[in-house]
Amino acid sequence: MNAKILGLIPARYASTRFPGKPLADIGGKPMIQRVYERAASVLEHVYVATDDERIANVVKSFGGRVVMTADTHKSGTDRCAEALNTVQAELNISFHAVINIQGDEPFIEPTQIRLLASAFEDAKTEIATLVKPVDNQADLISPNKPKVVLSQENNALYFSRQPIPYLRGVEIDKWLESGTKYYNHIGMYGYRADVLGKITKLPLGTLEKIESLEQLRWLENGYTIKVLETELESLSIDTPEDLQALKDRGLI
């Protein structure tokens, strides 16, 4: 890859549903270490961005790189913007783009990170993300798995917690059989560095408030989100119950 890419893993300790989640044991390693190692297998420059010394100390203990950020950030995107500025100043490197890697996905496939980074081989790419074709009814109707509709150029037109596009005149349990393509959004983002600095200064958007999806703020303000397709499933751990479920399935 010619473009200089910075991989950032936002991580906070004070999760309401799972306090200390980044340090949860996943097969003998803390979750944050498993995410870091997978990201570092693809990207030369990877940092954990955190506001918590406990997380920072664990990252340093396994030889990872960490950047401290403020504890006032409302999203991982905001934390990435601060971390980008700090890392660029420390390394004296101007990065072309940032990949925001979710810290609660210890099974993230390096190929997905590589795919997302490849979007920035086109210097015009502003923001990029991943989608996976919907292949079951539960995912289609789940509000926790946002859907996205695409333009002919594979840019995002809209994201929603509802199934979109709406298939008029057909019962929803027949939508997947109709041949209409539905996509689940996989919440890993890439941002061109200059764009990241701009989108974090935007005020909360109307559509973002309605759907509780921050990417709608960017679309409302005219930014283009490039979408790349993957067939790989995304397994995030949001709660202790999610962690136990993965253990029960023998994945840990």
Side-chain angles (χ1 to χ4, degrees):
M1 257 169 243
N2 295 325
K4 286 193 178 297
I5 306 287
L6 174 62
L8 291 174
I9 308 169
R12 62 191 187 96
Y13 194 93
S15 167
T16 303
R17 291 184 292 177
F18 196 167
K21 179 169 62 173
L23 306 185
D25 182 82
I26 307 290
K29 292 182 179 180
M31 187 186 305
I32 195 67
Q33 182 176 355
R34 293 204 172 270
V35 177
Y36 185 95
E37 289 174 348
R38 287 177 176 239
S41 72
V42 176
L43 302 174
E44 178 183 357
H45 300 283
V46 177
Y47 285 76
V48 173
T50 187
D51 58 8
D52 193 279
E53 290 290 349
R54 289 164 291 189
I55 294 173
N57 289 336
V58 167
V59 173
K60 292 173 185 175
S61 74
F62 64 71
R65 291 175 286 192
V66 64
V67 56
M68 299 303 296
T69 59
D71 60 4
T72 53
H73 294 303
K74 295 182 178 179
S75 72
T77 301
D78 294 334
R79 196 177 301 280
C80 283
E82 181 189 355
L84 168 64
N85 291 334
T86 302
V87 172
Q88 287 190 139
E90 287 181 356
L91 299 182
N92 195 28
I93 291 176
S94 292
F95 288 98
H96 175 71
V98 170
I99 304 296
N100 177 353
I101 301 151
Q102 302 297 317
D104 59 3
E105 295 191 6
F107 304 107
I108 184 75
E109 288 289 341
T111 53
Q112 289 181 308
I113 301 172
R114 187 178 292 111
L115 175 64
L116 188 57
S118 73
F120 294 94
E121 291 171 3
D122 180 350
K124 297 189 297 293
T125 299
E126 296 181 324
I127 304 169
T129 194
L130 301 179
V131 296
K132 178 183 179 295
V134 178
D135 58 11
N136 65 82
Q137 189 70 10
D139 283 358
L140 179 67
I141 64 175
S142 172
N144 297 320
K145 294 205 169 188
K147 265 58 70 176
V148 57
V149 287
L150 312 179
S151 73
Q152 291 185 353
E153 293 77 28
N154 286 328
N155 295 322
L157 293 172
Y158 191 73
F159 295 82
S160 180
R161 295 188 182 276
Q162 290 288 336
I164 51 173
Y166 179 84
L167 192 53
R168 184 179 178 185
V170 179
E171 294 295 325
I172 194 169
D173 60 355
K174 303 294 184 185
W175 285 11
L176 291 182
E177 302 171 12
S178 71
T180 303
K181 280 197 169 183
Y182 291 89
Y183 296 99
N184 279 331
H185 178 223
I186 295 178
M188 183 167 64
Y189 295 105
Y191 327 87
R192 205 172 68 206
D194 63 313
V195 170
L196 176 58
K198 295 173 183 175
I199 62 176
T200 53
K201 295 180 175 66
L202 297 172
L204 194 67
T206 301
L207 297 174
E208 177 187 12
K209 290 179 188 175
I210 293 169
E211 297 252 21
S212 190
L213 296 171
E214 68 171 333
Q215 61 270 37
L216 292 176
R217 185 192 322 181
W218 313 333
L219 290 181
E220 277 190 273
N221 284 275
Y223 288 94
T224 300
I225 304 177
K226 186 71 177 176
V227 175
L228 298 99
E229 184 177 332
T230 177
E231 293 293 334
L232 299 171
E233 188 57 79
S234 177
L235 294 174
S236 62
I237 298 175
D238 296 319
T239 66
E241 290 74 23
D242 291 340
L243 179 57
Q244 187 58 50
L246 292 176
K247 289 180 178 178
D248 293 342
R249 289 169 59 187
L251 295 177
I252 300 175

